[in-house]
Every structure is written in C-alpha cells, then in structure tokens.
Amino acid sequence: MELLTKTLFLCLALALTNGAPAHHDAAVDDASLPDRCDGIGFDAITPDEKGTTFFFRGSHLWEGFHGPAQLSNESFQQLDDIHNIGHVDAAFRMHNIEQLDHHDHIYFFLDDKVFSYHDQALEEGYPKEIQQDFPGVPSHLDAAVECPKGECMTDSTLFFKGQVVHVYDIATKTVKTKTWSHLPVCTSALRWLEHYYCFHGNNFTKFHPVSGEVSGVYPKDARSYFMKCPNYGHGGDYKVLKCSDVKIDAITTDDAGKSYFFAGPIYMRLDTWRDGLHAFPITKSWKEVTNGVDAVFSYADKMYLIKDDQVYIYKAAAHYTLIEGYPRTLKEELGIEGHVDAAFVCPEDHTVHIIVGRTIRAIDLSATPRAVTQERPLPFSDIDAALCSAEGINVFKGATYYNYESPMTLAMSRIAPEPLNVTRAMMGCEE
C-alpha cells in the first residue's frame, strides 16, 4: 500500500520522546490574552469526558493542545464572579466505573472548596467543602491527577501539596500520604496515554504514579512537547483528515484490548479516546519497521507486522520487543508468497486470515509448520486493511468499509455488500 503522508490524522509532531505529546499551538494574535509560551506554566490541567485536555491559568484556559487562550467561563459558565472563582488550584477527571454518576466528571479545587462539573455544567449542590467529597484531602492544593486501577493499586486520585502526595482511594474514601522529595513541587499534573506528568513552571517531569520514580532525563521543557512555540519543538504540522479522505494500511487489536491503526509512517492508538486520539511514528514502538506496513495482526500476546515479504514478530509487554531471529520471510513464517493486502485474527481463534489480491487464505497458527488450510476467492480486490471483533469483520477500502458477520460469510460471499463510510468515532477524522 502506498505510504501516504496525507494519512496523518492529527496535529502532532512525529519526533516524540518518552511518550509525551508534541502538539502545536498557533501564535496568539490578541496581546491581551495570556500566552502559553511565556514560560509561566499552568494552575491546573485536566481532560474532560470527551478526551479534550484543558490547561488553566488564572481566569483563562486553553482547550486542547493548540489554539489561543479564552476565558474559563466561556467553557465552564459557572467559573465566574458569582462563585468568586478567579482561578483554580487543581483539577482532575474522576475515574470511577463502579459509580457511573461520578465517572468522568471534572472536579475543580479552590482553597477549601470543590466544584463538580459534567458536560461543562456545574452539578447541583456544588461547591462543597473538600472534606465532604474527599475526606482527609487538604485544602489549598497544588495539583491533582486521576490514577485508574491497574496503574495504581485501586482507582485513586493523587493530590499534591508541596512535596507531599495524598493518595485518595475512590472506593474506601481513605488517604495515604507519601513524600516525594525528589520531585519538583507540581503546580499541575496530567495523566496522558497511561503516563504521568508533573508540571512545574514551563517544565515537566514524568513520574511513576505508585513509587514517584523518575526514569529518563528530566525536567523537559513543556513548550517543546505540549504546545507549539517559536524556537521550540520538533517535527512537522499535520492536519486532521476528513473522513472521506481516510486511507489506512493496517488495523488490529491486541490481547490487552489496545487497538491500533497504521497509515504510512505513523500509527494511532484507537482505544485511548478518553485521552484524545494521537498519532506516533511506527518506529517509536516497533523501531525495526522503518518503512510502514502492509498488514498487521495480533495473536498469543504477540504482534505480527508484515512489510513486503518480511514478517516481524514482537512480544507484547510494556514495550514491544522483536523476537530473536526475526524478521523472517512470509514463506518461512506463514507458508505463503505474494503481496499481503490485509490480515486479521478473530478473538479466541487460532486462524489468521490473509487477504492477497482477490483471495482470502486461512492459516492455522497453532500448527507447525504453518500452511494454508483454505483458500477462497473474494468479490473485491485492493483491500487496505481488515479487523475482526465481537461485532464482526470490517474490511477497509479507502474511506469505506464492508461489514461481515464472520470469516465464513466473508469467505463465502460472492457479491460485495453495500459499503459503509468511515466515521469520526472509528478513526478520529473530521466528518
């Protein structure tokens, strides 16, 4: 498949390091508005339920990783003089799937008060004393950040005051305190794509949410990663595509439920919509794959990336690691030859279905050696990608896709069904 740089979906620089986003900010035209590039930093940072990240300073905010400042009460109407809020001390998005009436709500903290918002509207009964909602959490906070179970021991919130961290257990409403004297005093904090960042002035430091450990060279300048500023940053500007212009090279979901699509030199995690959808260079996670992919599939905690006649197999862990002895040829690994257009494995299945031209081939991945067990014609060609899930099989061709109930219905079909259009919910494109 042709490597089209126009398939870059987001305004994101490709040269990213250590998992931090390199988004871009337009120059501020109105001199009366605060400039996020001035190095002062932020009072609070939080995403909302839609994955949009808000950066707060004084009475203003920035919506997303690019764009000019605006008054906070233009997005959160009750952040105004009626409630005597000129700024916020800290903010976070609640992660509490056990209580959906609180899940994804945004909490703002000011002095000894807490304000709860949902869909940018202040909830009835707020503001409250912090102790009413978060017993044991001090007033006059510096920062706060959500920490879901699996990243912390339980669904928790980290509250920062000086170098003391108050770890609040959402379910039990209990607090444990830790002192992280090795961290700077965080003026705001952000969880982004399962990584945690302490912001201090114009810098940030990435830390582990349980131990507070800092790995790598920090601090880094936020102006090179979380915004576009003159003389800062790295990479290029990429525009969000219209859904009618979408063309992907591969798509897959791994055993951990992480979904990826690949297009040209980039990939995007599709399951991270709560943090916003963001593109990265393929070489960031699969450094040996330097020229895009033709097809990708996941099986048995491994990810198979196919390019030309080569198969790269990576162990899926915290970081993808190429298995020793790879890449190998398609013939050696799967017993086939030719240009692969798409590949997919259905959940709990041991068969990979490979689309080559107008044919679909089934290969038993549990067999040794691997060989084609079935081959059938297809009613179309020039397929870009395919994905199997509990909702069936989606076969992508440009900005459209075909949906099939199962591999059998796909293999037995003789007439292509009505094509469906790729949507924003699927790919993060503009409709």
Side-chain angles (χ1 to χ4, degrees):
M1 299 171 205
E2 185 180 4
L3 300 179
L4 298 177
T5 56
K6 74 174 184 177
T7 52
L8 296 167
F9 289 88
L10 297 179
C11 299
L12 181 70
L14 293 184
L16 301 177
T17 59
N18 294 304
H23 293 265
H24 305 290
D25 194 14
V28 177
D29 294 323
D30 190 340
S32 67
L33 293 176
D35 179 2
R36 71 167 103 194
C37 295
D38 59 16
I40 294 177
F42 307 104
D43 296 328
I45 306 173
T46 184
D48 68 3
E49 70 278 5
K50 300 174 184 176
T52 300
T53 302
F54 291 89
F55 297 78
F56 294 84
R57 186 202 297 168
S59 59
H60 289 78
L61 62 77
W62 290 268
E63 182 176 347
F65 294 102
H66 58 90
Q70 63 186 67
L71 288 169
S72 299
N73 60 22
E74 292 180 9
S75 294
F76 300 90
Q77 292 184 3
Q78 291 84 355
L79 291 182
D80 53 28
D81 293 337
I82 295 175
H83 295 92
N84 297 312
I85 305 174
H87 72 282
V88 294
D89 294 332
F92 80 97
R93 179 183 61 187
M94 174 68 75
H95 182 88
N96 187 2
I97 57 176
E98 300 299 324
Q99 297 184 35
L100 295 180
D101 53 337
H102 299 300
H103 183 60
D104 276 350
H105 290 207
I106 297 177
Y107 288 82
F108 295 108
F109 297 82
L110 173 64
D111 298 334
D112 60 352
K113 297 292 192 296
V114 59
F115 301 73
S116 177
Y117 279 78
H118 186 251
D119 199 22
Q120 300 186 354
L122 184 65
E123 292 190 89
E124 186 177 352
Y126 285 87
K128 297 180 180 179
E129 300 287 328
I130 292 176
Q131 293 295 315
Q132 290 182 258
D133 270 11
F134 301 94
V137 173
S139 59
H140 301 279
L141 292 163
D142 291 322
V145 65
E146 64 176 293
C147 188
K149 182 179 180 180
E151 297 169 28
C152 282
M153 299 301 293
T154 62
D155 285 336
S156 306
T157 303
L158 308 183
F159 292 98
F160 296 80
K161 186 170 183 177
Q163 291 181 311
V164 177
V165 181
H166 303 262
V167 183
Y168 183 83
D169 187 308
I170 300 297
T172 64
K173 295 190 174 184
T174 56
V175 176
K176 294 181 180 179
T177 60
K178 303 177 180 181
T179 300
W180 289 346
S181 57
H182 60 285
L183 270 185
V185 174
C186 306
T187 57
S188 55
L190 173 66
R191 173 184 178 267
W192 191 81
L193 294 181
E194 301 161 8
H195 294 287
Y196 292 78
Y197 301 93
C198 162
F199 285 77
H200 38 100
N202 59 279
N203 293 323
F204 69 92
T205 297
K206 188 171 76 170
F207 66 93
H208 192 283
V210 176
S211 66
E213 179 184 0
V214 176
S215 299
V217 180
Y218 287 95
K220 297 183 187 296
D221 197 313
R223 291 170 290 187
S224 293
Y225 295 85
F226 289 88
M227 62 201 84
K228 182 180 179 181
C229 298
N231 302 317
Y232 289 92
H234 42 262
D237 294 312
Y238 298 99
K239 303 302 180 183
V240 178
L241 270 191
K242 292 187 177 180
C243 292
S244 58
D245 294 330
V246 166
K247 178 178 171 61
I248 66 174
D249 294 332
I251 187 168
T252 190
T253 299
D254 66 16
D255 292 342
K258 297 177 181 178
S259 298
Y260 306 82
F261 80 68
F262 299 77
I266 65 101
Y267 77 93
M268 184 183 288
R269 279 271 303 275
L270 293 173
D271 59 297
T272 57
W273 61 270
R274 292 184 76 249
D275 295 324
L277 299 176
H278 302 276
F280 297 94
I282 291 173
T283 51
K284 181 178 183 294
S285 294
W286 303 276
K287 62 181 180 180
E288 294 83 4
V289 183
T290 59
N291 197 29
V293 299
D294 294 328
V296 178
F297 66 90
S298 302
Y299 173 72
D301 290 322
K302 298 180 182 67
M303 188 173 288
Y304 293 65
L305 286 78
I306 300 172
K307 178 61 180 177
D308 298 327
D309 67 342
Q310 299 291 298
V311 181
Y312 300 78
I313 303 181
Y314 287 83
K315 293 179 181 178
H319 303 283
Y320 283 98
T321 305
L322 184 67
I323 294 177
E324 186 177 355
Y326 286 85
R328 300 176 62 188
T329 67
L330 278 167
K331 184 68 173 177
E332 292 174 305
E333 186 62 33
L334 299 174
I336 62 173
E337 294 179 291
H339 177 79
V340 174
D341 292 312
F344 64 89
V345 176
C346 292
E348 310 301 325
D349 197 4
H350 300 285
T351 299
V352 59
H353 302 271
I354 305 285
I355 296 176
V356 178
R358 298 185 70 95
T359 66
I360 182 169
R361 304 172 186 179
I363 299 170
D364 186 352
L365 294 173
S366 64
T368 304
R370 292 167 173 171
V372 175
T373 58
Q374 186 181 69
E375 181 172 345
R376 291 185 179 273
L378 290 175
F380 40 58
S381 61
D382 301 320
I383 294 304
D384 294 326
L387 178 68
C388 184
S389 67
E391 288 73 42
I393 299 166
N394 288 337
V395 179
F396 295 88
K397 184 173 182 178
T400 62
Y401 69 99
Y402 305 96
N403 180 260
Y404 292 88
E405 184 178 339
S406 68
M408 180 62 71
T409 57
L410 171 59
M412 297 296 291
S413 65
R414 293 296 173 264
I415 300 175
E418 189 72 20
L420 304 171
N421 292 324
V422 167
T423 66
R424 178 183 180 131
M426 297 171 70
M427 299 292 176
C429 48
E430 289 184 350
E431 294 179 327

